[in-house]
């Protein structure tokens, strides 16, 4: 992982090869303001938010304060990062269990632990802080109230350098394992239209609070029992699951990012986004993350050579498969995602059936995958 976190080495590569722009993707560096600052100092365009925005929103405790200032509801929790376990325990006791510990910097489910009693707090705090330090270079964590029965809904934002900001509607990312998203759906099925509109309006409020530029995602929890929603964080970058938004809106989010970085307005022909009311969704899209993990061994990551790879296909099927091919070597040092399967259909049920058909058509030999688990989930939507 460290090879991707070495900013001076990245800048040297750019200088050696005449690189004039960097799209940071959705990895650890995509939210790192130091990479954006290094790009600016070396005359390289950073395809993403401004340095100030990355600093404001990349720190999740700062993002909570921004949401409050925008009059968006947030979960009860600590306003500042906690580095001392005894102080954290005191805050958790005041909030009442269950609580969740979260890394103040970074994302992707790293540095997160649900704590259900005071007896679990100290060890969970140390584990979360250690994981956050390894993944993001900071062991800072904060405490937040945990909602047991919640839907994880996120809103895609896109802004330009001219002050224009729109949302591309929402995604449901509630199917998770170890705080890692597994299946994502756009738009969120069976969501109250009033809640949907309130979520999108709240995301725009937060974006305007920081003059948001480029692509980003505002994430919320919706209490399934009360329909109340709460802001949890902003990912100031493209998301792994942006594909489902592209499939239902027809908007190429990555292309739009690059066009915005070149100074174009959202309404310009190359992007083609004008009035918010003109942005609609058609049908449903679903993404399944196929990973090299063994469901029969507690999802132990697997690695080795992919001896045989055959993917699914057909109408309404999209594959993002950078490392999925016969002969590919999966090593233990990086994320276990092998390929993203995205499908679309006129109805939610169509998307489910198409996803199941595609998953059953995959033939992957040499490494174990989570396909059996995904099929099991889709059998009980």
């Amino acid at each position: 992982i460290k090879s991707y976190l070495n900013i001076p080495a990245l800048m040297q590569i750019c200088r050696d090869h005449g690189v004039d722009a960097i799209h940071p993707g959705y990895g650890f560096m995509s939210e790192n303001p130091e990479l954006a600052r290094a790009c600016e100092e070396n005359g390289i365009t950073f395809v993403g938010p401004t340095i100030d925005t990355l600093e404001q929103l990349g720190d999740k405790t700062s993002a909570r304060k921004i949401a409050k200032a925008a009059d968006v509801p947030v979960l009860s929790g600590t306003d500042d990062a906690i580095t001392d376990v005894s102080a954290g325990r005191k805050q958790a006791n005041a909030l009442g269990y269950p609580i969740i510990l979260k890394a103040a910097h970074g994302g992707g489910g790293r540095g997160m632990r649900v704590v259900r009693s005071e007896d679990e707090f100290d060890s969970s705090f140390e584990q979360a802080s250690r994981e956050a330090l390894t993944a993001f270079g900071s062991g800072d964590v904060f405490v937040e109230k945990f909602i047991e029965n919640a839907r994880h809904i996120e809103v895609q934002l896109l802004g330009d350098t001219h002050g224009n900001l729109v949302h591309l509607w929402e995604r449901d990312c509630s199917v998770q394992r170890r705080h890692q998203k597994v299946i994502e759906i756009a738009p969120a099925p069976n969501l109250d239209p009033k809640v949907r509109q309130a979520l999108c309006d709240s995301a725009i409020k937060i974006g305007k609070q920081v003059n948001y530029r480029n692509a980003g995602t505002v994430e919320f929890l919706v209490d399934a029992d009360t329909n109340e929603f709460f802001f949890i964080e902003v990912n100031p970058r493209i998301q792994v699951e942006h594909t489902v938004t592209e499939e239902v809106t027809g908007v190429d989010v990555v292309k739009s990012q690059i066009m915005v970085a070149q100074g174009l307005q959202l309404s310009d022909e190359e992007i083609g986004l004008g009035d918010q009311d003109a942005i609609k969704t058609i049908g449903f899209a679903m993404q399944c993350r196929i990973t090299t993990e063994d469901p029969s061994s507690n999802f132990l990551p697997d690695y080795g050579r992919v001896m045989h790879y055959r993917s699914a296909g057909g109408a309404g099927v999209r594959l993002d498969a950078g490392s999925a091919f016969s002969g590919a070597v999966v090593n233990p040092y990086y994320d276990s995602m092998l390929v993203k399967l995205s499908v679309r259909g006129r109805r939610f049920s169509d998307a489910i059936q198409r996803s199941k058909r595609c998953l059953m058509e995959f033939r992957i030999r040499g490494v174990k995958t989570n396909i059996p688990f995904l099929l099991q989930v889709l059998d009980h939507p």
Side-chain angles (χ1 to χ4, degrees):
I1 290 177
K2 290 182 179 179
S3 60
Y4 284 95
L5 303 179
N6 191 329
I7 295 175
L10 289 175
M11 291 300 101
Q12 187 60 54
I13 291 170
C14 290
R15 288 191 292 269
D16 291 345
H17 297 276
V19 173
D20 58 12
I22 287 180
H23 188 297
Y26 43 72
F28 292 144
M29 296 299 285
S30 58
E31 296 185 34
N32 191 326
E34 295 307 315
L35 175 60
R37 184 172 287 108
C39 287
E40 184 178 88
E41 292 171 352
N42 285 271
I44 297 168
T45 298
F46 179 80
V47 183
T50 65
I51 297 169
D52 286 345
T53 298
L54 288 169
E55 289 178 335
Q56 289 176 294
L57 298 178
D59 181 336
K60 291 176 173 50
T61 55
S62 171
R64 281 172 53 88
K65 295 174 184 176
I66 290 168
K68 287 182 178 180
D71 199 27
V72 173
V74 302
L75 288 166
S76 300
T78 54
D79 289 329
D80 298 299
I82 295 172
T83 55
D84 179 69
V85 65
S86 60
R89 192 187 323 111
K90 183 177 179 180
Q91 293 284 353
N93 291 339
L95 283 173
Y97 293 92
I99 59 94
I100 185 167
L101 294 164
K102 292 183 177 180
H105 306 271
R110 300 296 184 91
M112 297 175 67
R113 295 292 186 281
V114 176
V115 186
R116 301 187 181 279
S117 69
E118 184 177 0
D119 292 341
E120 301 174 8
F121 187 87
D122 288 17
S123 61
S124 297
F125 184 94
E126 292 171 4
Q127 291 168 14
S129 182
R130 188 185 315 117
E131 187 175 52
L133 180 63
T134 300
F136 312 119
S138 170
D140 291 352
V141 298
F142 67 100
V143 180
E144 205 168 63
K145 186 65 178 174
F146 181 70
I147 299 178
E148 292 280 7
N149 189 19
R151 295 180 68 178
H152 188 129
I153 309 291
E154 60 187 30
V155 178
Q156 177 71 62
L157 292 182
L158 189 61
D160 61 25
T161 58
H162 304 274
N164 302 303
L165 181 69
V166 298
H167 67 74
L168 304 180
W169 298 100
E170 86 291 348
R171 302 182 284 257
D172 189 318
C173 304
S174 302
V175 181
Q176 301 184 14
R177 190 185 64 75
R178 295 175 184 164
H179 309 298
Q180 289 272 13
K181 299 166 186 174
V182 178
I183 296 175
E184 298 96 352
I185 307 157
N190 305 315
L191 183 66
D192 185 318
K194 292 181 179 178
V195 175
R196 171 180 286 112
Q197 191 61 58
L199 289 168
C200 293
D201 291 345
S202 295
I204 290 289
K205 284 182 183 178
I206 292 171
K208 287 185 174 179
Q209 195 74 17
V210 295
N211 297 315
Y212 199 89
R213 183 185 81 185
N214 218 273
T217 302
V218 185
E219 305 200 358
F220 300 91
L221 288 182
V222 179
D223 191 319
D225 298 321
T226 66
N227 256 354
E228 292 181 283
F229 68 87
F230 304 92
F231 165 83
I232 50 175
E233 65 184 40
V234 178
N235 290 136
R237 54 175 169 82
I238 196 74
Q239 296 276 89
V240 177
E241 59 271 20
H242 74 278
T243 59
V244 291
T245 293
E246 293 183 335
E247 291 302 311
V248 296
T249 63
V251 177
D252 187 329
V253 179
V254 175
K255 174 188 173 183
S256 299
Q257 283 189 287
I258 296 170
M259 296 295 102
V260 165
Q262 290 180 330
L264 275 69
Q265 296 191 59
L266 297 181
S267 58
D268 287 341
E269 183 179 354
E270 291 85 346
I271 302 177
L273 293 178
D275 188 85
Q276 177 70 67
D277 293 338
I279 303 173
K280 307 291 184 182
T281 62
I282 300 176
F284 285 87
M286 176 180 290
Q287 177 182 280
C288 295
R289 303 189 190 189
I290 298 174
T291 60
T292 53
E293 297 174 314
D294 185 358
S296 64
S297 298
N298 197 28
F299 293 92
L300 185 71
D302 196 17
Y303 54 92
R305 185 177 296 277
V306 179
M307 304 307 295
H308 177 71
Y309 176 82
R310 191 186 78 193
S311 60
V317 177
R318 168 177 173 174
L319 300 172
D320 293 66
S323 60
F325 54 90
S326 296
V329 176
V330 178
N331 64 57
Y333 305 113
Y334 303 107
D335 190 90
S336 61
M337 187 165 65
L338 185 68
V339 53
K340 296 189 298 184
L341 167 68
S342 302
V343 307
R344 66 178 183 272
R346 287 190 305 110
R347 300 167 299 182
F348 181 42
S349 58
D350 295 333
I352 292 175
Q353 292 304 315
R354 186 164 284 162
S355 295
K356 290 170 66 175
R357 188 265 298 168
C358 288
L359 289 169
M360 289 187 286
E361 286 183 357
F362 272 95
R363 294 294 181 269
I364 302 172
R365 301 286 184 266
V367 291
K368 300 287 181 61
T369 74
N370 67 335
I371 287 178
F373 168 72
L374 293 170
L375 286 168
Q376 184 180 27
V377 172
L378 292 178
D379 277 336
H380 302 87

